């Protein structure tokens, strides 16, 4: 059965999608069967996997509302060699439309159950909000990966996210845990980054992943080619870091 992880942080632009797409490709490279679920109406993970979000007939939106099953909406990322349950702007409507539905926070979990046996990993790219969509992600997952930049405000937002995860764990999904905090866009020359990084290690101990993702322009360039960074330029420092992160995830999952 698949291990299911949310990539979440309600702060915008902290590297959630870059992490989800590159971890998916990194895991696929080492022979894992991966489904990437795009749970963000921005559709960035969909595009970054090389899938044109404008021409889709079925997306995660139809799946959440029960108008399509997961299998029929899933597409192959030809560049990344993993499967994608894609999203586009339509998904923004789901927040409101799901309000009427029963068990609305478990729609994704129930939909993914039908394809769980087909994968080793499912990675859910969450939108930058603690919204009903993110709640669906948290209810479907076994764990959360939290990408963060090592800056002062990053710590401030972290407590809201950690509290939300605690509440979901207590009330909705007893399986849910924080797998780890991933330091991304890291620049070792910035003193504050080093200080915040050390604080994170002190505070969260082995919940902080050992691998650190550096700031690397090749990771930012890759999406415009519809490719994960680890495929676009496998030798780049950013790609190497995400490949190493895939290895660290596989090790962590063994002890779960
Ligand atoms: P949103 O909250 O809007 O969904 P996000 O958390 O998914 O954003 P990304 O889209 O992954 O964040 O990253 C934000 C921007 O930073 C993008 O332009 C991306 O290409 C760039 N970026 C992400 N990680 C790195 C990195 N390690 N080095 C350089 N640029 C990066
Ligand atoms: Mg994103």
């Amino acid at each position: 059965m698949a291990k299911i992880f949310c990539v979440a942080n309600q702060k915008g632009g902290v590297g959630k999608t870059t992490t989800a797409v590159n971890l998916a490709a990194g895991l696929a490279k080492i022979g894992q069967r991966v489904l990437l679920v795009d749970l963000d109406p921005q559709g960035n993970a969909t595009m970054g996997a090389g899938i044109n979000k404008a021409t889709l007939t079925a997306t995660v939106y139809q799946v959440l509302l029960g108008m399509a099953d997961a299998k029929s909406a899933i597409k192959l990322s030809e560049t990344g060699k993993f499967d994608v349950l894609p999203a586009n702007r339509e998904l923004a409507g789901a927040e409101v439309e799901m309000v009427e539905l029963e068990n609305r926070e478990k729609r994704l979990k129930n939909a993914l159950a039908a394809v769980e046996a087909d994968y080793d990993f499912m990675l859910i790219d969450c939108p930058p909000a603690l919204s009903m969509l993110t709640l669906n992600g948290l209810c479907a997952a076994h764990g959360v990966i939290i990408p963060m930049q090592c800056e002062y405000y990053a710590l401030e937002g972290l407590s809201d996210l950690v509290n939300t995860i605690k509440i979901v764990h207590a009330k909705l999904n007893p399986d849910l845990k924080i797998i780890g905090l991933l330091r991304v866009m890291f620049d070792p020359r910035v003193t504050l980054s080093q200080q915040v990084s050390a604080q994170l290690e002190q505070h969260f101990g082995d919940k902080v992943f050992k691998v650190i993702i550096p700031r690397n322009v090749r990771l930012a360039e890759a999406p415009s080619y519809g490719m994960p960074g680890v495929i676009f330029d496998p030798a780049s420092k950013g790609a190497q870091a995400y490949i190493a992160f895939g290895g660290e995830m596989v090790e962590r999952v063994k002890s779960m």
Side-chain angles (χ1 to χ4, degrees):
M1 275 302 183
K3 285 284 173 206
I4 308 177
F5 301 109
C6 265
V7 182
N9 190 331
Q10 79 278 20
K11 256 179 89 86
V14 294
K16 292 180 288 295
T17 301
T18 304
T19 296
V21 169
N22 283 288
L23 180 58
L27 289 169
K29 259 185 183 245
I30 52 175
Q32 303 291 311
R33 299 168 303 161
V34 182
L35 175 68
L36 174 63
V37 179
D38 191 349
L39 207 51
D40 186 341
Q42 297 180 99
N44 292 343
T46 300
M47 298 293 277
I51 294 164
N52 185 352
K53 65 182 175 184
T55 58
L56 297 165
T57 47
T59 67
V60 69
Y61 168 77
Q62 279 81 11
V63 172
L64 286 171
L65 292 179
M67 299 183 287
D69 57 20
K71 208 158 201 154
S72 68
I74 287 171
K75 298 264 187 232
L76 172 69
S77 165
E78 285 175 21
T79 55
K81 308 282 183 256
F82 52 82
D83 280 351
V84 181
L85 180 51
N88 58 24
R89 284 179 59 188
E90 253 188 321
L91 181 59
E95 289 281 341
V96 175
E97 288 161 57
M98 282 196 300
V99 169
E100 305 276 295
L101 303 176
E102 247 176 78
N103 271 334
R104 57 184 184 270
E105 65 284 338
K106 300 217 169 129
R107 309 283 304 182
L108 182 66
K109 179 188 171 77
N110 295 337
L112 292 180
V115 293
E116 217 180 321
D118 298 342
Y119 300 99
D120 301 305
F121 285 90
M122 294 188 190
L123 303 172
I124 305 169
D125 183 31
C126 290
L130 295 173
S131 58
M132 182 53 65
L133 287 171
T134 297
L135 193 57
N136 262 269
L138 295 175
C139 283
H142 303 115
V144 190
I145 298 165
I146 306 174
M148 52 187 303
Q149 286 175 260
C150 290
E151 56 188 28
Y152 176 71
Y153 289 117
L155 291 173
E156 209 170 66
L158 191 58
S159 57
D160 291 338
L161 179 59
V162 170
N163 280 335
T164 302
I165 292 168
K166 278 187 187 154
I167 293 168
V168 173
H169 170 83
K171 304 215 159 149
L172 292 166
N173 178 7
D175 289 343
L176 188 69
K177 45 169 143 336
I178 295 176
I179 305 301
L181 303 172
L182 179 66
R183 292 163 283 184
V184 299
M185 295 188 232
F186 193 78
D187 185 347
R189 293 166 303 182
V190 177
T191 311
L192 180 65
S193 296
Q194 293 200 346
Q195 285 169 349
V196 172
S197 173
Q199 266 177 349
L200 280 179
E201 281 172 354
Q202 248 169 28
H203 209 88
F204 292 94
D206 59 9
K207 286 275 179 214
V208 182
F209 289 109
K210 290 197 176 60
V211 171
I212 298 179
I213 312 296
R215 185 172 284 284
N216 180 243
V217 71
R218 302 300 271 168
L219 290 172
E221 288 168 353
S224 63
Y225 297 89
M227 281 188 198
V230 303
I231 306 295
F232 175 61
D233 185 357
S236 66
K237 284 204 167 125
Q240 290 291 316
Y242 272 116
I243 289 166
F245 177 51
E248 190 173 358
M249 276 301 295
V250 169
E251 282 308 308
R252 289 226 175 183
V253 166
K254 277 186 195 157
S255 59
M256 270 178 80

